[in-house]
Amino acid sequence: MLKKMNKKVFIRSFGCQMNEHDSARLKDLLIERGYAICGSPEDANAVIFNTCSVRKHAEDRVYGKVGTLGEFKIKKPGLIIGIIGCMAEARRDEIFRKLPIVDFLCGPADLDRIPDIIDKIKNGAGRIMYLEGYKSKIIPAFSRKRFTGKTAYVKIMEGCDNFCSYCIVPYVRGRERSRASKEILEEIGLLIKKGAKDITLLGQNVNSYGKGLQEKINFVALLKKIDKIARSAKISFFTSHPKDASLELFKAMRDLKSIVNILHLPIQSGSDKILKRMNRKYTVAKYKKLALDYRKIVKGGNLSGDIIVGFPGETEKDFNDTFNIVKKLQFDAAYIFKYSPRPFTKAAGFKDDVTLKEKERRHTLLLDLQRNILSNKKLLCSRPGLEHSN
Ligand code: 5AD
Ligand code: SF4
């Protein structure tokens, strides 16, 4: 009984769906090792923050939250505090230096080690840093023994080889690696058997699925295999890179009954000069053509994008080009971010020459534009018959 009381863990996830998914798997691993998951840090013997490094703001939030745990640690000296995920990789030395209350760091590809890490610390091992997994070529399986519910994420690939000049992901999540299709299909089959109705396939760049696997397979071929076993479940996927999205993918979305017609295709900028500096490997014209092809082939399909404002060297003209393309493309959702220099990245070496005030101005302009686009779309949808009139 006493043993069980010492095994309560609180896990909080920051950032993207991939982190959410990793946290769910970590909970499963800890439960298998006899831990109970608790709903608040006050009740826990171990507190774990699964962190994000994609923008500085995300890191600042974690620093703030960990700071508030100091009090708990004074009241409960045996409390174990772990920082895991992207920030553990990116800020390894800084976290241990700045936050003496943190007991362990563990990278996103090392989560399987966490139960052992906690045991070791309990046995007096001192602070532990485990950050080698990003070099791994393997994505560990998720047993799903405890799955209940209707929605689920399934990881199909992880990591990124694109090295967009602003992005920290390739440095913290490592190189692209895919899971064998057999393993993915088994996991999806089990989830469906247990009642899953909405399944989202996850990867930093799902369109690169299959690269490096022994079997000859690509993303579209995987979707076709999944569609055959999907029954009444709906399958979505996230994220696609415009340089790899293809007509073949759009046709598969149109033809495969289980695939949801939602495409998240981050554009990032409407200026060719900025796209080149971002190392995005496509032009605005190519993106525009893709978006038009998508809308033509996948009738009524939902299209969303990410945009960064205030990238180094972004002039008023470059921003206006972004503004105009957003207006033209009429995204169903647009996620707009202020550029934030990230360690290790190429752009960190560029002069961050757009002031914060100007980034905020551009951010607000785009948000307002997107809000208008959405309210016009809603207006159109709520007037029956309008689409059929001339
Ligand atoms: N600054 C601002 N936004 C960024 N993103 C990635 N890196 C940065 C950065 N350094 C945005 C991109 C990406 C989304 C997940 O986050 O738009 O598509
Ligand atoms: Fe980052 Fe670019 Fe890879 Fe997306 S494609 S994870 S933005 S490097």
Side-chain angles (χ1 to χ4, degrees):
M1 181 66 184
L2 188 70
K3 249 186 163 174
K4 191 89 186 162
M5 278 171 65
N6 280 331
K7 295 186 103 177
K8 287 191 195 161
V9 187
F10 171 79
I11 301 174
R12 168 138 187 215
S13 209
F14 296 81
C16 65
Q17 289 88 340
M18 190 72 102
N19 261 13
E20 233 177 86
H21 177 72
D22 285 343
S23 294
R25 188 168 161 275
L26 175 61
K27 282 180 189 167
D28 218 54
L29 290 172
L30 286 165
I31 291 169
E32 250 159 50
R33 287 284 286 266
Y35 285 85
I37 305 300
C38 59
S40 81
E42 286 96 331
D43 303 329
N45 314 103
V47 173
I48 299 176
F49 285 158
N50 192 5
T51 59
C52 169
S53 259
V54 85
R55 282 170 292 278
K56 183 170 177 295
H57 176 66
E59 294 188 340
D60 291 344
R61 275 182 68 209
V62 171
Y63 277 129
K65 292 279 172 211
V66 178
T68 64
L69 293 178
E71 250 177 74
F72 296 139
K73 192 123 178 172
I74 294 169
K75 281 191 214 144
K76 213 193 266 180
L79 177 71
I80 295 172
I81 298 175
I83 306 275
I84 66 167
C86 297
M87 204 176 148
E89 285 288 351
R91 300 291 188 190
R92 42 182 77 186
D93 299 325
E94 187 184 278
I95 295 174
F96 265 2
R97 204 179 54 243
K98 277 195 185 166
L99 298 168
I101 61 169
V102 173
D103 298 287
F104 73 90
L105 299 176
C106 182
D110 293 298
L111 302 190
D112 290 62
R113 300 183 184 270
I114 290 176
D116 284 341
I117 292 177
I118 297 178
D119 284 350
K120 278 187 191 155
I121 295 174
K122 276 187 184 161
N123 292 329
R127 298 177 110 185
I128 295 178
M129 201 189 258
Y130 213 103
L131 300 159
E132 294 307 304
Y134 74 97
K135 295 177 189 157
S136 158
K137 291 195 166 44
I138 295 157
I139 300 178
F142 191 166
S143 82
R144 300 299 187 174
K145 269 190 230 150
R146 267 167 284 276
F147 177 80
T148 54
K150 298 272 175 254
T151 60
Y153 291 128
V154 172
K155 207 184 268 190
I156 62 163
M157 59 84 63
E158 187 169 3
C160 185
D161 292 349
N162 290 322
F163 292 93
C164 299
S165 66
Y166 51 81
C167 186
I168 198 169
V169 168
Y171 304 94
V172 291
R173 291 249 176 208
R175 294 291 70 70
E176 283 174 3
R177 50 215 185 267
S178 295
R179 288 173 73 196
S181 65
K182 186 170 170 281
E183 215 182 89
I184 296 170
L185 290 166
E186 275 167 11
E187 185 174 338
I188 292 177
L190 187 58
L191 288 167
I192 291 172
K193 217 162 113 192
K194 290 183 157 221
K197 291 287 173 217
D198 289 297
I199 295 176
T200 304
L201 311 176
L202 287 183
Q204 267 77 33
N205 189 12
V206 289
N207 301 91
S208 292
Y209 173 78
K211 246 170 67 181
L213 281 177
Q214 275 187 343
E215 58 181 318
K216 226 176 135 1
I217 187 161
N218 64 16
F219 182 53
V220 172
L222 178 72
L223 288 180
K224 288 180 181 165
K225 281 179 188 249
I226 293 173
D227 186 65
K228 286 206 178 101
I229 62 156
R231 297 198 223 159
S232 62
K234 293 287 166 210
I235 311 292
S236 315
F237 56 86
F238 190 85
T239 294
S240 297
H241 192 300
K243 83 174 170 41
D244 302 314
S246 62
L247 294 186
E248 196 198 1
L249 171 68
F250 304 159
K251 286 177 189 159
M253 290 174 81
R254 176 193 64 195
D255 298 338
L256 302 175
K257 222 172 73 229
S258 66
I259 310 298
V260 176
N261 289 341
I262 294 181
L263 183 67
H264 184 64
L265 199 63
I267 183 168
Q268 312 295 5
S269 171
S271 150
D272 280 339
K273 180 192 95 190
I274 296 296
L275 285 177
K276 200 161 178 10
R277 276 170 78 80
M278 287 178 163
N279 192 30
R280 288 292 287 175
K281 303 186 185 100
Y282 56 83
T283 59
V284 179
K286 162 144 190 221
Y287 187 97
K288 213 151 91 183
K289 167 128 184 25
L290 266 180
L292 295 177
D293 283 340
Y294 170 72
R295 289 224 159 102
K296 213 184 295 162
I297 296 169
V298 186
K299 293 265 180 324
N302 179 303
L303 179 70
S304 60
D306 293 345
I307 295 146
I308 298 176
V309 295
F311 187 77
E314 186 187 74
T315 60
E316 187 65 19
K317 154 127 190 18
D318 296 318
F319 173 70
N320 284 336
D321 289 345
T322 301
F323 189 91
N324 289 331
I325 192 85
V326 172
K327 201 164 166 188
K328 178 151 185 71
L329 292 173
Q330 300 274 302
F331 288 112
D332 298 286
Y335 303 92
I336 302 151
F337 307 105
K338 286 169 266 180
Y339 170 69
S340 164
R342 299 286 65 213
F344 319 117
T345 61
K346 188 159 179 220
F350 302 164
K351 188 161 179 260
D352 187 14
D353 55 359
V354 182
T355 62
L356 181 59
K357 200 162 165 230
E358 185 55 21
K359 282 177 188 163
E360 275 162 0
R361 189 184 72 87
R362 294 177 189 179
H363 188 245
T364 307
L365 282 171
L366 275 186
L367 280 179
D368 287 347
L369 170 66
Q370 186 58 27
R371 255 185 228 120
N372 276 334
I373 291 172
L374 289 187
S375 63
N376 286 339
K377 278 186 188 231
K378 276 199 196 110
L379 222 61
L380 270 175
C381 293
S382 63
R383 279 192 212 154
L386 195 71
E387 275 162 290
H388 307 287
S389 69
N390 289 318

